[in-house]
Amino acid sequence: MGICASRRFKYMALVFALLLFITGTAFAQNFRLGDENEEIATIQSALKQLKFYTGDITGHFGTRTKEAIIKFQKKHKLLADGIVGEDTLRELYTAAGIPLESSAVFSGESSSSSSSVSASSSSSSSASGSVLHYGSQNDQVRQLQQNLYTLGFYNGSITGHYGSKTEAAVSAFQRSNGLSPDGIAGTKTLASISSALSGSSSSSKSSSSSSSSSSSTSSSSSSSGMLKLGTKSEAVRSLQQNLKALGYYDGSVTGNYGNLTKEAVYSFQRSNGLSADGVAGAKTLAAIQTKLSNSGSSSSTTTVTTSSSSTTVSSSLGTASVLTEGSKGTEVKKLQQMLAALGFFSGNQTGNFGAQTKKAVMDFQKSKGLMADGIAGAKTLAAINASYSSKSSSKSGQLTTASAGKVIYSSFYNWRNNYSNGEYVTVYDFGTGYTWRLRIMTKDQHMDAEPISAEDTAIMLKAFGGKTTWTPKVVWVTFSDGKTYIGSTHNTPHGTQHITNNNFKGHLCVHFPLPMARAEAIGDYAVTHQKAINAGWETTKKMN
């Protein structure tokens, strides 16, 4: 009896010790070089806020993240091993003002904030203690989107998910308010948004009393005034509608002169030989009216009537036109033919802009991250031209000399921020003639991306000879603005996966030119890609 009790006691002590060990090790989660995790994105955001890190928020623990951690650890007299353990994480989040309970390490739950935000669009102060960044998903993000929409910087859906559109809107707000445009909504940015909301709500009363009472389809009555950033009135609403009809504005018609409106005015002025300052003065408003009159309409349902004779598709569409539901003619037929070639339109190419054509335009716009309103304005037509030119030039299996001459060799660090996460790119393998599409997920020392569809994955596999490999393949990559850069890629899926129906269980990496010294600092695999890119560049130049 005594022996059994003794054994039972030893057994219970062993189980208790084991439980202590398990719970202790589960709590003490470490993040180190090579890891990929949502928590790492928060770590990078905190480091960026504290000025230790200047890279992109990727969720991937790379060399730059490790270097930033070591700097932070040294400053705070922690063990400078570049590993984020419990002590480093606690010190980092405390310094950045991030609640510890928001971390999966300290809460044992997801990293999203458990605190809810007031539904009022006039306050973001409840989120001022958090850091919101690309990939965040909670009610605070929903509130942020609503507030930026009210201020005229955000024109997307209110989803609560911090994607590329939200990141771009935050950057635009930061630029307009003298903040560092890093796309991260930290304490300063959220406080500034709250202040701007208070200012806009107080000024809207006075501006509404002095706003123009003219029809929303005409801005002539406001031509004696000046509309600029911060103005909120019916005259601004009219301006937005008119610029949308002309294809320069793809935001929501709010009556609030925000950054999107300013950019649209600037684009119109530059395209029409006016002084490009983003301010809608008398000359600019008069020029807009003239353009609307010449197009035959002053609303977004303008009809462009041209000859309906059958033509073969040309290499480009006129981006000065606005094609909408109800439009007819050769330009519409060109549009239908191009959309069909790009895989977005399957109806009869009649030259009549009907419901099917509108849906095809909307589908294309969504694929490029454009405002999906079904109106083929200047931006949409330019994007269609770029995509069609890229696809057409690769049909024969080898790009033309002229196309090869347009390929750019430039350091990735110089231009990577010109493109947003979530955009689509077209990859062309000039060795085999195969073309496939990828979606940008993150950008740091290289670009993480995923095939858009199962068809793209299958084509990519053919280009790699039917096998999956880490061996770099030199390719030409065309981005949303039509620019093509030389790079190299592999086709081995690994790590985080976002697109779930593409038969590719993870993401892949696309490398672009970097200084060889920088590649050597990153590691052997980066050097392998740079050597491949340099050799491919020599081949590309011979094709000129």
Side-chain angles (χ1 to χ4, degrees), residues 477-534:
V477 185
T478 302
F479 286 76
S480 56
D481 58 359
K483 291 183 178 179
T484 301
Y485 298 88
I486 191 166
S488 67
T489 185
H490 62 84
N491 71 331
T492 299
H494 64 285
T496 305
Q497 178 185 9
H498 300 85
I499 302 175
T500 58
N501 58 349
N502 61 355
N503 289 341
F504 197 80
K505 305 301 182 183
H507 68 268
L508 54 83
C509 304
V510 186
H511 291 245
F512 294 95
L514 292 177
M516 188 58 75
R518 185 60 184 143
E520 290 170 351
I522 296 171
D524 292 341
Y525 192 55
V527 172
T528 301
H529 274 280
Q530 290 309 307
K531 288 181 178 179
I533 291 171
N534 290 339

Side-chain angles (χ1 to χ4, degrees), residues 110-444:
S110 65
S111 60
S112 61
S113 173
S114 60
S115 61
S116 60
V117 183
S118 167
S120 170
S121 64
S122 63
S123 174
S124 63
S125 59
S126 60
S128 61
S130 301
V131 175
L132 305 178
H133 54 78
Y134 185 88
S136 297
Q137 188 167 0
N138 53 40
D139 286 339
Q140 290 181 345
V141 176
R142 184 182 298 275
Q143 185 64 62
L144 172 67
Q145 292 169 330
Q146 181 63 57
N147 292 341
L148 289 170
Y149 177 86
T150 301
L151 293 171
F153 289 93
Y154 180 70
N155 66 336
S157 301
I158 309 298
T159 62
H161 181 263
Y162 203 119
S164 57
K165 279 194 173 183
T166 307
E167 184 179 54
V170 170
S171 294
F173 174 84
Q174 290 168 327
R175 279 193 297 269
S176 295
N177 290 273
L179 300 170
S180 176
D182 56 9
I184 300 170
T187 305
K188 287 185 178 179
T189 297
L190 292 172
S192 184
I193 290 172
S194 181
S195 177
L197 284 167
S198 299
S200 66
S201 62
S202 62
S203 63
S204 62
K205 295 177 182 179
S206 60
S207 65
S208 62
S209 63
S210 60
S211 63
S212 170
S213 60
S214 64
S215 168
S216 63
T217 58
S218 172
S219 63
S220 58
S221 62
S222 63
S223 60
S224 59
M226 181 179 293
L227 306 178
K228 58 183 179 179
L229 193 67
T231 305
K232 191 172 185 180
S233 66
E234 284 301 313
V236 175
R237 183 182 296 275
S238 170
L239 172 67
Q240 291 168 331
Q241 287 178 323
N242 292 340
L243 288 171
K244 182 182 279 285
L246 293 172
Y248 291 93
Y249 180 69
D250 61 1
S252 300
V253 178
T254 62
N256 185 27
Y257 203 119
N259 195 59
L260 288 174
T261 308
K262 180 180 177 181
E263 290 182 0
V265 170
Y266 180 85
S267 296
F268 175 84
Q269 291 168 327
R270 189 172 52 186
S271 298
N272 291 275
L274 300 169
S275 176
D277 56 5
V279 177
K283 285 186 178 180
T284 298
L285 294 172
I288 290 172
Q289 284 298 309
T290 300
K291 281 288 182 181
L292 287 168
S293 300
N294 290 342
S295 68
S297 174
S298 61
S299 71
S300 60
T301 56
T302 180
T303 300
V304 179
T305 306
T306 60
S307 171
S308 59
S309 61
S310 176
T311 63
T312 58
V313 64
S314 69
S315 60
S316 64
L317 282 160
T319 57
S321 303
V322 178
L323 303 177
T324 68
E325 193 167 13
S327 299
K328 298 179 181 180
T330 54
E331 286 296 297
V332 174
K333 190 165 186 177
K334 289 178 187 178
L335 174 67
Q336 292 169 332
Q337 289 172 321
M338 285 187 174
L339 289 171
L342 294 171
F344 292 94
F345 182 72
S346 58
N348 294 325
Q349 297 166 15
T350 61
N352 295 324
F353 198 125
Q356 271 191 299
T357 306
K358 180 178 181 179
K359 182 181 183 303
V361 170
M362 291 177 69
D363 289 343
F364 175 84
Q365 289 169 326
K366 289 175 183 177
S367 77
K368 296 295 181 182
L370 299 169
M371 181 71 172
D373 56 5
I375 299 172
K379 286 186 178 180
T380 297
L381 293 175
I384 291 172
N385 281 329
S387 296
Y388 181 80
S389 297
S390 174
K391 185 177 181 67
S392 298
S393 61
S394 63
K395 284 183 178 178
S396 63
Q398 184 175 357
L399 292 184
T400 64
T401 300
S403 295
K406 293 180 180 179
V407 178
I408 301 169
Y409 182 104
S410 177
S411 175
F412 186 43
Y413 292 161
N414 292 339
W415 53 269
R416 62 185 178 181
N417 291 329
N418 293 342
Y419 308 100
S420 301
N421 296 335
E423 286 191 20
Y424 293 79
V425 299
T426 300
V427 179
Y428 177 68
D429 175 18
F430 58 86
T432 64
Y434 285 113
T435 298
W436 61 95
R437 298 173 300 159
L438 301 174
R439 182 177 183 181
I440 305 172
M441 295 305 172
T442 61
K443 305 179 300 297
D444 191 5

Side-chain angles (χ1 to χ4, degrees), residues 64-81:
R64 296 176 76 179
T65 305
K66 181 179 178 180
E67 292 172 353
I69 287 295
I70 291 174
K71 290 178 183 177
F72 175 83
Q73 289 170 327
K74 286 180 178 178
K75 181 175 180 180
H76 290 265
K77 295 180 171 44
L78 299 165
L79 176 63
D81 57 2

Side-chain angles (χ1 to χ4, degrees), residues 7-23:
R7 287 178 177 173
R8 187 179 299 112
F9 176 78
K10 289 180 180 179
Y11 175 76
M12 292 296 291
L14 180 62
V15 170
F16 181 70
L18 183 61
L19 286 171
L20 282 176
F21 174 77
I22 291 172
T23 55

